[in-house]
Amino acid sequence: MTTTTPGTAQVELAIGGMTCASCAARIEKKLNRMDGVEATVNYATEKAKVTFAADIPVADLIATVEATGYTAEEPAPPRSEAPGTDGPTDEEKADAELRPLKQRLITAVALAVPVIAMAMVPALQIEYWQWLSLTLAAPVVVYAAWPFHRAAWTNARHGAATMDTLISVGTIAAFLWSLWALFFGTAGTPGMTHPFEFTIARTDGAGNIYLEAAAGVTAFILAGRYFEARSKRKAGAALKALMQLGAKEVTVLKNGREVTVPTAELQVGDRFLVRPGEKIATDGTVVEGSSAVDASMLTGESVPVEVSTGDSVTGATLNAGGRLVVEATRVGADTQLARMAKLVEDAQNGKAAAQRLADKISAVFVPIVIALALGTLGFWLGTGQGLTAAFTAAVAVLIIACPCALGLATPTALMVGTGRGAQLGILIKGPEVLETTRKVDTIVLDKTGTVTTGRMTLIKVHTAAGTDETDVLRLAGALEHSSEHPIAQAVATGAAARVGTLPTPEDFANIPGLGVQGVVDGHAVLVGREKLLEEWAMELPASLKSAKDAAEKAGRTAIAVAWDGEARAVLEVADAVKETSAEAIRRLKGLGLTPILLTGDNQAVAESVAAEVGIGEVIAEVMPQDKVDVVKRLQAEGRSVAMVGDGVNDAAALAQADLGLAMGTGTDAAIEAGDLTLVRGDLRAAADAIRLSRKTLGTIRSNLFWAFAYNVAALPLAAAGLLNPMIAGAAMAFSSVFVVGNSLRLRGFQAADK
C-alpha cells in the first residue's frame, strides 16, 4: 500500500476467480460503490488498482471483492531471488495455475472428439453409438466444464450473470435435452441414426441428441481459455524480463573485506565491487576505476559507455571492461530499473476510454443475451417450427454471445505494446496517452540535452599558417587538462580523443576570468580569451580573428591558443548537436508533426542548431518558468502539442503539453511529468514512441471492432437458427484467440533502422 495525496492511499489487489470482462466490471462496480473508493479492475492482468480514503482498511476492500464472489489479496512483497531461496518462482506459480485448466482441456478434447466424430459421420454410428456418446460426454460436461458451472452458480447467488452463465446454461441445456431424448424419447432406440447437418431439421426433437454440442462447446471454450491464458503470459513476458534484468547478488566492501550479499540488502551509501562481465547491482556513482558499460539491455544502445570516477551508472547494466567500485545512490524501488518496471505495470493496469465502454456493454450483455435466447425459444415455438428448431437456436444464441473477446481487446494490446516499448527503451505511462499520440500535430523540442548533448564539446580547430593541428591539440589539451573548468575539460577531452595521450605540463597557472598558462614540452603556452593574449602583447592574425568572430556569432565559445610568443590557433567549443538529431527530426516530420526548437539560449545559438537539424521554427531566450507559457500559447492557437525535454526546467511544460515525452537521461522531475519516457538519450526514440503508441491504439481499435462486429453479426444468425451450437462455440472461442493473436503482433514492432 502506498500513500498518494494527503488523506488517500493506493493499493493493488490480486483478483482471483474472474473469467470474463463482465466479472471485472462487477468487481469494479462494487468497489466504486464504497464511499471514498475509486477502483479500476483489469481482467487481463487480474489486478485491481484501488485509490481509497486512508481511514478505510484494506481488509474492507478485500471483503467487498469476496462478497461479490471472487478472491482478493495484496501482492506478496518482493523476495530475494538469490540461489537457495525457498518457495516457488513466479513461473512455477503460473504453471501451477495453468495445470488444472490444461488437464480439463486434455480430458475434454480426448472425450469430445469421438463424440463429435460420431455425430458428424453417419458411418461411425454403430448400434449403440448414442449411449457411447453419453458415456464419453458426461465427464466433459460435468468435470471439464465444472469451472463454468461453479462460476455461474456463484454469480447467480449474487444476483449476477456473466459469460460463464452463458456457457453453463448452454451446455447443461444441451446435455439435459439429450438425456430426455435418450431416456424418454426415441433417441435411445438401438440402431437410431441421424445425419450431421448445418441447418435445423424441423422435427419434434424426441429423436435428436446434442451431446456433441455440449462436449464440443466445452472443449472449444476450454481451448480458447487455455491459449488465452498462455498468450496473456507471453504478453506480460517483456515486463517480467525487464524486472529480472537486475543482478541477484552483489559483492559489498565492508571494512576492507569483500562480502557477497543479496542485492535486496544493499543500502544507500554502500560501496560494492563490479568485476568485468558482471551486472551493476544498483544505481550509483563510480568511486574507483574506469570501464566501458554496456547499457543495451536497458536502453537499447549498442555502443558501450565509458565511465570513470565520478560518473553515474545504472543498475542492471553490464560492466564490459575493467574493475569498478561503485557507491550506491538509489536502491530498491527508487532505482531506474524499478521505476521503469512500475511505469510499465501501471500502464498495463490502465484502461482506455474505448475499453471502459466495452466493459459497460459487457456488464449488461449477458442478461440481454439470456433474454434474447428465451425470446428466440419463444419465437420459434410460437411460429410452430418445432421444439428442436426452437431449442437449437436458443442454445446457439447462448453459446455464441461470449463477451470474452471484448474484455481482452484493450488489455492484451496494451500489455504487449507497453512491454515491447520497455524492451526498446520506451515507457508508456498510461493508456490515455495512446489517444493523444494520434492527435498531436506540433512537437516542441528543448535544445539542451534533447537535440544537443548537453555538454561542452570541442567542435573545430582553426590554425594559423604554418601551424600543425596536432601540435595545437597536444599543447592546448595538456594545459587544459589541468583545469577543472567545463570548457577546459571539453578541450582536453577533445584533444585526447584526437591525438591520444597528452603530455604533463611542467608548469601551470590559472588566470581567473581569462584562461590558463604554463609550460608544456618546453613551450610557454597560453590558452583562453583573446584578452589573455593581448596582455602578453600578442594579436590574432586576420584569419584567426575572422574565425573567432564567426564562432561567436554562431553562439559558440572561441578559445585562443598561443605559444612561444605567437598566436597559433582558435578552438571552437559548444554544446554539440547529437549525431542522430537531424534524422530524428526527419522522422518526426514524416509522422506529420511540425517541430519547434525551444531554448533559453540566445537567438544565434538556437538558429544555428535549428538549421543544422532541419527545424524551421525557433523560440529562443525563454526563461525556464516561461516555457509552460509557450506551450499554452501554442495550444491556444489550436495546436495539439507534444513536448520533449529532460531537465527540471522542462517539467512544467511537459505536464502542460498534450503529450509529454521525457528523456530518461534527464532529471527525475522531468521523467515524472512526462507521459512517455525515452530511456535512451536518442531523439529518434521520440519518433519510435509515437509510432508504437499509434500502432498500439490501432490494434486496440481493430480488436474492439472485430469483437463487436462478431457479436452483432453472429447473434442474429444464431437467433434465426442458422448456426449449429457446436459451430457457434468454435466461432466464439476463435474470436477471443483472434483478439489475443492480433495483439501479439505488436511483439514484432521494430525501432526504425539506426
Side-chain angles (χ1 to χ4, degrees):
M1 186 176 73
T2 58
T3 300
T4 54
T5 58
T8 65
Q10 191 174 86
V11 68
E12 190 174 73
L13 300 177
I15 306 296
M18 290 194 299
T19 55
C20 67
S22 296
C23 300
R26 284 187 56 226
I27 298 170
E28 188 173 296
K29 186 177 180 180
K30 290 286 187 180
L31 287 171
N32 285 326
R33 281 181 176 174
M34 298 176 67
D35 291 336
V37 174
E38 183 177 340
T40 300
V41 181
N42 189 292
Y43 167 53
T45 58
E46 298 181 334
K47 291 179 180 179
K49 189 173 182 180
V50 188
T51 302
F52 56 99
D55 58 348
I56 300 177
V58 175
D60 287 358
L61 302 175
I62 294 175
T64 298
V65 176
E66 291 176 343
T68 313
Y70 304 89
T71 63
E73 61 181 5
E74 289 191 71
R79 58 184 179 82
S80 171
E81 297 289 344
T85 300
D86 294 330
T89 64
D90 291 339
E91 191 71 19
E92 290 170 341
K93 288 180 180 178
D95 289 339
E97 292 174 0
L98 276 179
R99 196 173 299 119
L101 180 58
K102 184 177 181 180
Q103 291 170 346
R104 294 182 192 276
L105 172 61
I106 292 173
T107 300
V109 171
L111 299 180
V113 167
V115 174
I116 295 170
M118 286 186 287
M120 293 176 61
V121 184
L124 298 178
Q125 295 173 3
I126 58 178
E127 188 171 1
Y128 291 100
W129 73 273
Q130 68 272 46
W131 296 101
L132 176 59
S133 293
L134 175 63
T135 304
L136 295 174
V140 177
V141 175
V142 176
Y143 164 71
W146 176 247
F148 307 136
H149 306 322
R150 180 179 57 203
W153 172 247
T154 299
N155 291 325
R157 286 193 297 113
H158 291 86
T162 67
M163 183 197 68
D164 292 298
T165 306
L166 298 179
I167 299 169
S168 180
V169 170
T171 54
I172 288 177
F175 187 71
L176 292 178
W177 176 271
S178 300
L179 286 179
W180 178 85
L182 286 169
F183 286 98
F184 302 103
T186 60
T189 304
M192 185 278 293
T193 62
H194 64 69
F196 174 78
E197 296 179 345
F198 285 94
T199 56
I200 296 171
R202 292 177 178 146
T203 68
D204 61 4
N208 291 279
I209 58 175
Y210 293 97
L211 294 171
E212 78 280 5
V217 163
T218 300
F220 281 130
I221 294 175
L222 281 174
R225 287 271 178 96
Y226 178 73
F227 290 115
E228 283 168 15
R230 287 192 52 140
S231 296
K232 284 193 289 183
R233 285 178 58 192
K234 289 181 180 179
L239 173 60
K240 293 177 183 176
L242 182 67
M243 297 177 72
Q244 293 171 0
L245 280 177
K248 304 299 183 290
E249 291 185 321
V250 59
T251 302
V252 180
L253 301 178
K254 293 185 177 180
N255 301 321
R257 295 186 303 112
E258 297 181 4
V259 181
T260 301
V261 300
T263 301
E265 295 182 10
L266 263 181
Q267 301 293 323
V268 173
D270 284 350
R271 294 193 174 191
F272 59 92
L273 177 65
V274 188
R275 298 182 179 88
E278 291 183 345
K279 287 182 179 179
I280 297 173
T282 193
D283 299 357
T285 302
V286 177
V287 294
E288 182 182 323
S290 61
S291 179
V293 173
D294 180 1
S296 60
M297 66 181 71
L298 202 61
T299 66
E301 287 291 343
S302 58
V303 180
V305 179
E306 297 291 336
V307 298
S308 58
T309 302
D311 290 335
S312 297
V313 290
T314 304
T317 54
L318 185 67
N319 179 14
R323 177 182 182 274
L324 294 175
V325 175
V326 179
E327 181 175 308
T329 56
R330 291 187 293 199
V331 298
D334 294 328
T335 63
Q336 183 176 348
L337 180 64
R339 287 186 296 168
M340 287 172 60
K342 181 61 177 171
L343 284 172
V344 175
E345 189 170 14
D346 286 347
Q348 291 179 342
N349 280 337
K351 288 187 292 185
Q355 182 61 25
R356 287 194 291 271
L357 174 62
D359 284 349
K360 289 179 181 178
I361 292 174
S362 296
V364 299
F365 193 68
V366 174
I368 290 175
V369 168
I370 292 177
L372 180 60
L374 293 174
T376 299
L377 180 66
F379 173 79
W380 280 73
L381 290 175
T383 55
Q385 299 300 318
L387 188 59
T388 298
F391 178 78
T392 306
V395 170
V397 168
L398 291 172
I399 297 304
I400 205 166
C402 163
C404 198
L406 298 178
L408 292 171
T410 291
T412 50
L414 195 59
M415 288 173 68
V416 181
T418 54
R420 181 59 182 149
Q423 291 178 324
L424 297 173
I426 301 166
L427 307 182
I428 303 172
K429 271 194 175 180
E432 65 282 353
V433 173
L434 304 179
E435 287 284 353
T436 308
T437 59
R438 180 179 60 87
K439 302 172 185 175
V440 292
D441 53 34
T442 301
I443 185 162
V444 177
L445 305 163
D446 172 59
K447 182 185 75 69
T448 306
T450 302
V451 177
T452 64
T453 61
R455 60 180 181 274
M456 302 303 286
T457 305
L458 178 62
I459 303 295
K460 290 183 180 179
V461 179
H462 303 275
T463 59
T467 302
D468 184 67
E469 182 176 313
T470 301
D471 291 336
V472 173
L473 292 173
R474 187 169 56 83
L475 297 178
L479 201 59
E480 294 281 54
H481 185 66
S482 299
S483 172
E484 296 181 356
H485 194 282
I487 293 179
Q489 287 299 306
V491 172
T493 301
R498 301 186 194 186
V499 302
T501 304
L502 301 173
T504 302
E506 301 160 26
D507 186 27
F508 172 83
N510 180 44
I511 313 298
L514 293 179
V516 294
Q517 64 185 41
V519 178
V520 181
D521 289 347
H523 299 284
V525 183
L526 298 175
V527 182
R529 296 179 183 271
E530 183 181 6
K531 186 177 180 181
L532 177 62
L533 274 63
E534 292 174 351
E535 290 187 356
W536 287 82
M538 286 182 275
E539 291 185 4
L540 292 175
S543 61
L544 295 184
K545 181 71 172 177
S546 176
K548 172 183 171 293
D549 292 341
E552 291 178 343
K553 186 176 181 180
R556 296 175 176 176
T557 300
I559 303 169
V561 180
W563 68 82
D564 296 343
E566 291 185 30
R568 308 278 184 166
V570 167
L571 309 179
E572 287 188 33
V573 174
D575 180 7
V577 172
K578 294 178 181 178
E579 294 180 357
T580 58
S581 290
E583 174 63 22
I585 298 304
R586 284 194 292 272
R587 294 182 186 178
L588 290 170
K589 288 180 178 178
L591 292 171
L593 303 176
T594 301
I596 298 175
L597 187 66
L598 178 65
T599 179
D601 279 348
N602 63 60
Q603 191 73 24
V605 172
E607 290 180 353
S608 174
V609 171
E612 188 171 345
V613 298
I615 296 177
E617 190 173 348
V618 175
I619 303 176
E621 300 178 20
V622 178
M623 297 297 290
Q625 62 270 25
D626 295 332
K627 287 187 176 182
V628 67
D629 294 329
V630 172
V631 174
K632 288 180 179 179
R633 176 169 57 80
L634 293 171
Q635 290 171 328
E637 294 173 1
R639 303 195 196 191
S640 182
V641 181
M643 167 78 185
V644 187
D646 73 330
V648 173
N649 60 345
D650 299 321
L654 287 168
Q656 173 64 35
D658 298 291
L659 178 68
L661 296 93
M663 304 295 282
T665 51
T667 65
D668 293 347
I671 292 172
E672 290 300 320
D675 300 308
L676 292 167
T677 300
L678 314 177
V679 176
R680 62 186 196 266
D682 187 341
L683 189 56
R684 291 177 299 181
D688 291 334
I690 292 174
R691 281 199 308 118
L692 175 61
S693 297
R694 288 179 175 178
K695 192 172 182 64
T696 302
L697 177 62
T699 300
I700 289 173
R701 289 183 164 182
S702 64
N703 283 350
L704 288 172
F705 171 80
W706 286 112
F708 277 118
Y710 163 81
N711 282 284
V712 169
L715 278 174
L717 292 175
L722 300 177
L723 288 179
N724 180 289
M726 182 180 64
I727 299 172
M732 184 278 300
F734 172 77
S735 70
S736 294
V737 174
F738 168 81
V739 163
V740 176
N742 189 42
S743 299
L744 287 173
R745 292 190 305 115
L746 288 168
R747 296 169 66 196
F749 178 87
Q750 297 292 331
D753 294 336
K754 296 180 180 180

